[in-house]
Amino acid sequence: MHGNHIDCTQERDVSANVQPQSGNEIVGATLRMPRDLRDEMKIQAIRAGISFNAHVLKILREALPDEATPQK
């Protein structure tokens, strides 16, 4: 771990280092991705009538196992 960032370059179980917080606490995160992927995701968000952020969260929630997804 480096500061508030989790080093995901090494395969290891980091879940023991992640402390659960209150249900729907909003935290900031920086995500780097290829420009073409970002542009396609923006188009998808516009077509869905939602913000880019909401679209990214939807995709991430769908990718996680059910037990890892917090309830709304």
Side-chain angles (χ1 to χ4, degrees):
M1 239 195 298
H2 193 61
N4 288 334
H5 303 291
I6 296 174
D7 178 6
C8 295
T9 57
Q10 299 177 8
E11 292 222 12
R12 58 192 169 120
D13 182 13
V14 295
S15 60
N17 295 329
V18 178
Q19 299 298 317
Q21 299 295 318
S22 61
N24 290 323
E25 178 183 3
I26 303 298
V27 296
T30 301
L31 178 66
R32 294 184 303 274
M33 67 179 73
R35 183 179 306 269
D36 60 337
L37 176 61
R38 185 211 49 199
D39 292 346
E40 181 57 36
M41 291 176 67
K42 280 185 173 183
I43 291 167
Q44 290 175 354
I46 290 167
R47 288 181 179 153
I50 58 178
S51 70
F52 176 74
N53 189 77
H55 186 57
V56 170
L57 291 176
K58 178 180 178 287
I59 291 169
L60 292 172
R61 284 188 177 116
E62 289 172 354
L64 288 174
D66 287 339
E67 64 272 6
T69 306
Q71 300 299 316
K72 290 183 181 182

